[in-house]
Amino acid sequence: MTQKKTIGEVLVDLLERRGVDTIFGIPGVHTVEMYRGLERSSIRHITPRHEISAGFMADGYARASGKPGVCLLITGPGLTNAISAMAQARADSIPMLIISGVNPVATHGQELGHLHELPDQIGMMRSIALFTQTVHSGGDLEPVLDRAFAAMTAGRPGPVHIEIPLDVMSEIVAVPKPRVVQVSRRLPLPEDIARAADILKEAKRPILLVGGGAVAAESSVQTLAEQLDAPVVTTINGRGILGGHPLEVPASPSLAPVREMLADADVVLAIGTQFGPTDYDLNCDGGLPALQKVIRVDVDPLQATRGALPDLTVIGDASAALTAITAEIETPKDCDGVARAKSARTAALTSLGPAYQTGVALIKSIGDALPGCLLVGDSTQLVYAGNCYADIAKPRGWFNSSVGYGSLGYGPPAAIGASLAQPDAPVVCITGDGGFQFCLSELGTAMDENTPVIFLVWNNGGYQEIESYMVSADVAPIGVTPTPPDFVTLAAAYGMGAETITDIADLVPAIKRAHALGQPYLIDFKTP
């Protein structure tokens, strides 16, 4: 006998079959039917204090786990609150599935004043999501989910959206029979692999540029880099790929010494990198040099046309492409790669000002104190320093919102999501006192879920970077000194341990104390 359930219950079944183990959302009248099946499922539901935080938690979960982050949101304000999180995910190519309710089908476009009504909810989503579709009946649900997962993960990842009308989600339908659900990644063409290998065989000074699109291809990157004896420059989202390796250059391509090395290279192999300004022109000086010969490896043919136009494009999964290229290069090369990488590392670090050098040293000390930790950041000075230079121990160990879409208030909820994805890894959230005030209430979520995130507040009493920029532009610094609260007292109100420090020498001991507790903890570092 065929089992029957509501569409909301079947939705939960189908998500389980696709490996979803965590959902972020705030229930409401417009999503109750979609919650009906959660109690009997293995999926963990996390309740943030705001829907934008649900999106940021899903983002952090996805970055730390490599799996899509999933949100369940009400129609109207629940969905619009999450738009910034979706935009951040799109900018950084993060797989995120947003499932929302929507008012009954017959009301769409009528603007009759129904609760949470939007003139055209799905039309709004088309400008942000890689894919969006309405489920009009029970028979639509599984095919729409298949399309959403394919759009979210088969090519360049990003946010997708599904909406289910109130009068559809309670419909009784037959439970689909189990089947193998697999989303395949595109494989590169053999002729493109052969052409790339021929070019790299002749290279005398090859360099690898590695971005976030290669975060799951660490071993393939390392094997090819060693075969080519090529320095590996990692972008912000690529940090941790080859962490600590003699060929690694964990420095921004916006820095002059890295640019000089790129200009000298006769072949640049760019893997999963966008060539966007926040990685390659951080100071907006237009100084990225012309590259002699460029091979781009990207899973998305459209993305490969943005930024630096290549001499050769290899379209396909990064790991598969690099493995195939390595197989074509049978003899290891001697291109002085280790010496070139060391020279670039030293010069890049030296090129930073004293404040940023201090920040780089502090990030290293945190990593040394907490081996295998994840450092999740907001837009704040310490994060900016690390984006310029930070040798991170492992892939997925460094990410933040200060580039790409650049959302404030990202760090704390994303760190909670990352901790849920990697519960055995230490997680440190680096946030400024200004950005933290966007999402202070998520301390409550951390306590509810007992995610042992260490919240490090870089407290300089306002938006210091913006203030400095305004002064340098001869603009009166207005609106840059929002008064921070007493963070320690606030943490105590949520039952969270906390302390204040004022000396940089006290930071690592405080980090170690916090980690030893195994609970959420806040360190308010009042900087000079």
Side-chain angles (χ1 to χ4, degrees), residues 13-31:
D13 291 344
L14 295 178
L15 290 175
E16 272 191 304
R17 292 178 188 178
R18 285 161 175 78
V20 174
D21 56 24
T22 307
I23 285 179
F24 304 91
I26 301 174
V29 171
H30 286 61
T31 53

Side-chain angles (χ1 to χ4, degrees), residues 56-79:
F56 288 150
M57 287 179 191
D59 178 300
Y61 173 91
R63 296 192 201 223
S65 70
K67 303 194 304 181
V70 181
C71 294
L72 191 54
L73 306 174
I74 66 167
T75 185
L79 186 59

Side-chain angles (χ1 to χ4, degrees), residues 66 185 210-221 237 241 317-320 395-396:
R185 303 283 280 179
V210 181
V215 74
E218 179 189 21
S219 62
S220 301
V221 171
N237 286 330
I241 299 173
D317 175 75
S319 184
R396 308 184 191 279

